[in-house]
């Protein structure tokens, strides 16, 4: 058997019996056990991990581990997690009652460059970055987001993930989720022509990255 | 919850699972059938105008 890691938690009771709790450097790793030959790209497994992740988040906020980290022994997980354990612990203690939200906004802008138009890979990568950096959303919509959503957040960060969207990631107190939902509904009414998707709650994802 | 909305929530959740969170050094990159799953998921999400907030477990 091997284990697929889901997140890093402060307490064992935040995990069990929803998932296995593996001690790592004073914290606990949530994980689910699967057969050694189980493919990580199996659809049913992805859905299982996703639903377990949501159930764990209902218990308590945790640091999300991006899908793909599997291990066979606790010692292996401990060795890989230990270098970051102190930072994760500080994050978990500071944000225990907070969750992340994301607001994705479709950003019609620069087209993705065609790799066949470039003689070198470096030029293509540079053009790809330029196209991403040119991606923007209407200033009026951004102002509405800044006035309706941002004030609810403890922290926020605008992120450009590709050439088709811009995203606002934020940290919010759990108890303010209903207010966030109201702000999202209000934004829909005041900016009906801008495609966006507001979603929450999420574990510590964007704000857990260095 | 309507089926379409459930699918949207799942796609969004998968996008977060695969594209967010801390990366443990040296681990696998997930690719499925040569399809860029993250890019595909994002396009599906952005085709919809909606707010999905799971305020509590009853809404799941």
């Amino acid at each position: 058997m091997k284990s697929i890691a889901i997140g890093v938690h402060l307490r064992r009771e935040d995990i069990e019996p929803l998932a296995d709790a593996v001690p790592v450097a004073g914290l606990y790793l949530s994980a689910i056990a699967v057969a050694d030959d189980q493919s990580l790209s199996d659809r049913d497994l992805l859905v299982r991990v996703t639903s377990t992740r949501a159930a764990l988040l209902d218990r308590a906020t945790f640091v999300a581990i991006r899908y793909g980290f599997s291990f066979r022994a606790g010692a292996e997980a401990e060795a890989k997690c230990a270098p970051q354990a102190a930072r994760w612990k500080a994050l978990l203690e500071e944000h225990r009652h907070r969750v992340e939200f994301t607001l994705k906004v479709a950003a019609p802008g620069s087209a993705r460059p065609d790799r066949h138009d470039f003689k070198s890979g470096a030029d293509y990568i540079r053009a790809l970055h330029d196209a991403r950096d040119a991606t923007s959303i209407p200033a009026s919509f951004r102002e509405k987001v800044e006035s309706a959503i941002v004030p609810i957040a403890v922290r926020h960060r605008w992120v450009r993930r590709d050439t088709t969207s811009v995203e606002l990631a934020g940290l919010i107190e759990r108890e303010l989720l209903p207010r966030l939902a109201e702000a999202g509904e209000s934004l829909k009414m005041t900016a009906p022509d801008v495609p966006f998707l507001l979603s929450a709650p999420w574990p510590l994802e964007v704000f857990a990255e260095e | 919850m309507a089926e379409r909305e459930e699918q949207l929530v799942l796609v969004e959740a998968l996008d977060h699972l695969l594209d967010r969170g801390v990366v443990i050094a040296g681990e696998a990159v997930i690719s499925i059938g040569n399809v860029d799953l993250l890019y595909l998921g994002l396009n599906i999400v952005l085709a919809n105008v909606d707010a999905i907030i799971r305020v509590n477990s009853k809404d799941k």
Side-chain angles (χ1 to χ4, degrees):
Chain A
M1 297 291 279
K2 64 183 176 188
S3 295
I4 296 171
I6 297 176
V8 183
H9 308 244
L10 266 181
R11 302 172 187 169
R12 181 185 287 273
E13 58 265 32
D14 291 341
I15 302 173
E16 293 174 331
L18 297 169
D20 298 331
V22 181
V24 286
L27 297 169
Y28 295 91
L29 197 60
S30 56
I32 58 170
V34 297
D36 276 330
D37 60 355
Q38 169 74 64
S39 165
L40 291 185
S41 61
D42 178 76
R43 181 190 182 281
D44 291 340
L45 178 59
L46 279 164
V47 172
R48 182 181 164 205
V49 172
T50 297
S51 60
T52 304
R53 197 176 188 257
L56 287 166
L57 186 58
D58 282 343
R59 288 271 190 88
T61 295
F62 59 90
V63 172
I65 290 182
R66 193 171 304 186
Y67 187 75
F69 174 39
S70 65
F71 57 93
R72 285 181 173 74
E76 181 187 350
E78 168 118 21
K80 291 197 170 177
C81 294
Q84 302 203 64
R87 190 175 67 83
W88 290 342
K89 187 168 189 205
L91 273 172
L92 286 166
E93 287 172 344
E94 182 181 3
H95 302 305
R96 181 160 178 82
H97 301 293
R98 296 168 180 161
V99 288
E100 287 196 13
F101 69 85
T102 58
L103 177 84
K104 291 177 181 172
V105 190
S110 52
R112 189 182 176 92
D114 185 337
R115 72 185 69 180
H116 299 104
D117 293 339
F118 298 88
K119 289 179 181 172
S120 77
D123 289 344
Y124 171 64
I125 296 296
R126 199 171 297 117
L128 207 55
H129 280 286
D130 289 346
R132 185 202 62 187
D133 291 344
T135 302
S136 63
I137 58 175
S140 60
F141 182 76
R142 187 167 175 142
E143 284 168 14
K144 285 173 183 160
V145 172
E146 295 275 357
S147 64
I149 305 284
V150 168
I152 308 172
V154 177
R155 287 186 197 167
H156 73 283
R157 184 185 301 167
W158 286 95
V159 184
R160 284 194 187 95
R161 291 196 176 273
D162 54 37
T163 59
T164 62
S165 70
V166 176
E167 182 179 310
L168 173 73
L171 259 179
I172 188 174
E173 305 288 350
R174 269 182 195 265
E175 63 191 24
L176 293 183
L177 281 171
R179 266 187 66 189
L180 180 66
E182 287 170 15
E185 289 299 325
S186 171
L187 199 58
K188 266 201 319 190
M189 304 286 280
T190 56
D193 54 335
V194 179
F196 74 88
L197 184 111
L198 176 63
S199 65
W202 303 110
L204 299 175
E205 299 172 339
V206 173
F207 294 92
E209 293 172 359
E210 287 186 284
Chain B
M1 192 183 286
E3 186 179 346
R4 179 178 161 277
E5 198 170 336
E6 283 181 353
Q7 288 176 352
L8 180 62
V9 172
L10 178 59
V11 168
E12 178 69 350
L14 286 171
D15 186 45
H16 277 251
L17 177 73
L18 295 166
D19 197 31
R20 316 290 164 89
V22 298
V23 177
I24 306 297
E27 292 309 319
V29 172
I30 308 301
S31 64
I32 299 175
N34 293 325
V35 174
D36 186 336
L37 184 63
L38 304 185
Y39 190 69
L40 177 66
L42 190 62
N43 280 341
I44 290 170
V45 166
L46 291 177
N48 295 273
V49 183
D50 211 337
I52 49 164
I53 297 193
R54 189 169 49 85
V55 176
N56 57 51
S57 57
K58 289 178 186 172
D59 294 337
K60 280 190 296 182

